[in-house]
Amino acid sequence: MKANAPTGGQPDIAVTAAPAAETVARLRATFTTGRTKSVAWRKQQLQALRRLLTEHEDVFAQALHTDLGKSATESHMAEIGFLVREIDHTLSHLDRWLRPKRVSVPLSLMPSRAWTVREPLGVVLVIAPWNYPVNLALAPVIGALAAGNAVVLKPSEVAPATSAVLAHWLPRVLDPQAVAVVEGGVPETTALLEQRFDHIFYTGNGAVGRIVMAAAARHLTPVTLELGGKSPAVVEPGTDLATAARRIALGKFMNAGQTCVAPDYVLAIGEAGAEIEAHLTQAVREMYGTDPARSNDYGRIVNERHFDRLADLLKDGRTVVGGDHDRDDRYIAPTVLADVDPDSAVMRDEIFGPILPIVRVPDLDAAIAFITGRDKPLALYAFTASKRSKRRLTAETSSGGLAFGLSLLQLSVPDLPFGGVGESGMGRYHGSYSLDTFSHLKSVLDKPLKPDTLGVATPPYTRSKDRVLRRIT
């Protein structure tokens, strides 16, 4: 398979993919030498990746614009800039994260020492999605390299321009004997899943997540599944609804709503339902103007298939703002729907597009019942001035993450883990949690070989008790 990648002013170079088995075997041979375990090697890879992202940001931004209509500002904020900050945070803390940690030893085993050490898993597979095709491809790779692994990256074929850039550049700036990029669609992914990996990291939907998990089970390979779901935004009366609407709109309509942690619907309590409509309308106009199709900051739907699925959802409820769409341009306006039936099509599955339904409920009890009666979401957002409501939502609901007073931007906190629960996924990453995911925490116990300790004939607890008594007396 060949792909021509944009090279930022250099001639296009054909990238030829080796068979999956050959690629994995080559990387495993490299890992076996111990090269990737060196902390210096890990830092070199991260530094090289950082230089690629900063020196060729325009190449990545152009690919993102081609695939998703992203503006340079959004590409920097949500993709390239995010990754640079993740690399910087990792480099700043890596030595401390890798330091062995001492643990206490029971009296019955004294004298002895015990500690834990992180060791890399081996060869890991990262399967990336199309909606943030740079960020969600390379953020796991950062953690995998920091942990000392060899990595196979499978970019999404649904974002072909970005996939081609990754396939061209990564083997040229990272260790090509330890990092490989495999382009392609279902056949290539299937071939990769037939190989034995030491960890598989998948970001995408639950249907494919089940296929990945079933394939991993054949080799007893651990998996991280970053999925999605319908993430609600609870809005209570008495809060600053204008600010809440702006922050909901920012999280919802960035990347034309194609974000796994975007607010999927608004759960408006009591009189907040009527008021939030006007505020959301104003927020959309402030962000994208009266004609978002002309806005340089508003993206496009990734392809016609997803456009058609989303266009069908526009029929549900009453249109508060938006609703315009153009299939040839893959454009769907930022849309807010009111009077939405909880059982309608737009409320069944994750929307993954720029359509925001408002569902009204009478009180917080009803809101909590609505949330807990459905699959656990990847994120739960709440806009409330009540400390009691915050305590109840924290204690009585379950979600991958919980954020009060904003949406989406919780991902910018490097020390917060990101991951789902239940149908929204399993496992977590970002910061030190990426190191946890891509490492094995090995326990070590060191007991001196002395004949007067841990005698075979006397149980340890008896000798420990006698020793304590001698000290007391």
Side-chain angles (χ1 to χ4, degrees):
M1 177 191 63
K2 296 182 178 179
N4 290 327
T7 58
Q10 301 177 14
D12 286 358
I13 299 175
V15 179
T16 303
E22 178 184 326
T23 299
V24 175
R26 173 168 55 86
L27 268 59
R28 193 169 297 283
T30 301
F31 179 79
T32 302
T33 68
R35 182 197 305 182
T36 67
K37 294 182 180 181
S38 161
V39 177
W41 181 91
R42 305 181 198 193
K43 291 181 178 179
Q44 288 168 2
Q45 303 308 301
L46 296 179
Q47 290 162 352
L49 186 56
R50 189 187 193 281
R51 286 194 298 272
L52 170 63
L53 291 168
T54 54
E55 294 174 6
H56 296 281
E57 180 171 353
D58 57 335
V59 177
F60 285 98
Q62 180 57 52
L64 290 166
H65 181 76
T66 300
D67 287 330
L68 290 153
K70 291 192 181 187
S71 68
T73 300
E74 183 177 320
S75 294
H76 176 81
M77 180 178 68
E79 304 240 22
I80 290 91
F82 181 96
L83 292 169
V84 170
R85 291 190 297 273
E86 182 77 5
I87 292 172
D88 289 344
H89 183 73
T90 301
L91 287 171
S92 296
H93 297 85
L94 186 58
D95 289 329
R96 179 171 61 84
W97 291 343
L98 293 174
R99 197 173 298 148
K101 290 185 172 64
R102 291 285 298 270
V103 300
S104 60
V105 178
L107 185 61
S108 60
L109 292 179
M110 294 298 291
S112 61
R113 297 181 304 144
W115 64 95
T116 60
V117 294
R118 296 180 188 268
E119 62 180 20
L121 297 173
V123 181
V124 304
L125 171 63
V126 175
I127 305 175
W130 53 262
N131 59 324
Y132 288 84
V134 179
N135 184 336
L136 298 181
L138 295 183
V141 170
I142 291 168
L145 292 174
N149 298 284
V151 185
V152 177
L153 171 63
K154 169 60 182 66
S156 173
E157 72 281 8
V158 181
T162 307
S163 177
V165 169
L166 291 168
H168 174 83
W169 279 110
L170 291 191
R172 287 160 174 78
V173 301
L174 301 180
D175 185 343
Q177 299 304 312
V179 180
V181 180
V182 176
E183 289 192 276
V186 173
E188 288 76 13
T189 305
T190 302
L192 283 171
L193 289 174
E194 291 172 354
Q195 312 308 310
R196 180 179 69 83
F197 288 95
D198 299 288
H199 194 93
I200 298 176
F201 191 107
Y202 168 77
T203 304
N205 62 65
V208 178
R210 286 172 167 81
I211 295 171
V212 170
M213 197 168 183
R218 293 196 294 269
H219 301 289
L220 295 180
T221 300
V223 298
T224 299
L225 301 179
E226 295 296 345
L227 307 178
K230 297 187 74 63
S231 298
V234 177
V235 179
E236 276 198 320
T239 190
D240 183 345
L241 292 179
T243 299
R246 285 194 295 270
R247 295 180 182 178
I248 292 170
L250 172 66
K252 177 62 178 181
F253 299 119
M254 178 183 290
N255 198 29
Q258 298 164 117
T259 304
C260 59
V261 288
D264 194 86
Y265 62 97
V266 172
L267 208 52
I269 295 175
E271 61 187 24
E275 297 180 33
I276 198 68
E277 293 182 21
H279 290 298
L280 284 169
T281 299
Q282 181 62 28
V284 169
R285 289 174 179 164
E286 288 177 1
M287 292 171 60
Y288 304 112
T290 56
D291 185 6
R294 296 179 178 271
S295 171
N296 293 327
D297 296 320
Y298 189 66
R300 295 298 184 265
I301 307 305
V302 68
N303 58 30
E304 288 78 7
R305 180 171 66 87
H306 284 281
F307 176 93
D308 293 340
R309 176 185 62 83
L310 290 166
D312 285 342
L313 299 180
L314 294 171
K315 304 170 185 175
D316 293 334
R318 168 174 54 86
T319 301
V320 175
V321 65
D324 300 332
H325 52 285
D326 180 350
R327 192 175 192 273
D328 291 337
D329 191 29
R330 293 181 285 126
Y331 166 76
I332 295 180
T335 300
V336 177
L337 301 176
D339 304 331
V340 173
D341 186 335
D343 296 321
S344 63
V346 76
M347 290 300 297
R348 287 181 201 142
D349 300 310
E350 183 179 8
I351 296 169
F352 219 70
I355 304 170
L356 182 65
I358 299 174
V359 176
R360 296 195 190 190
V361 290
D363 50 35
L364 186 62
D365 289 334
I368 291 174
F370 194 96
I371 295 166
T372 57
R374 287 157 176 78
D375 291 333
K376 296 177 181 180
L378 184 56
L380 170 58
Y381 303 109
F383 298 84
T384 175
S386 167
K387 292 182 179 179
R388 180 175 179 274
S389 295
K390 292 180 180 180
R391 288 195 299 269
R392 288 196 60 192
L393 287 166
T394 302
E396 299 177 32
T397 66
S398 178
S399 56
L402 172 61
F404 296 108
L406 52 69
S407 68
L408 197 61
L409 296 180
Q410 73 275 15
L411 273 66
S412 64
V413 182
D415 289 320
L416 279 179
F418 174 68
V421 58
E423 286 289 322
S424 60
M426 63 179 67
R428 62 204 61 82
Y429 72 124
H430 289 175
S432 64
Y433 299 97
S434 292
L435 217 63
D436 293 339
T437 291
F438 291 109
S439 301
H440 167 60
L441 193 62
K442 182 165 63 179
S443 60
V444 182
L445 176 67
D446 184 6
K447 174 70 180 173
L449 287 172
K450 293 183 179 180
D452 61 337
T453 60
L454 274 186
V456 176
T458 306
Y461 66 87
T462 304
R463 294 180 61 84
S464 300
K465 179 180 177 182
D466 292 343
R467 188 180 297 111
V468 172
L469 289 174
R470 282 198 301 271
R471 289 176 181 173
I472 295 175
T473 57

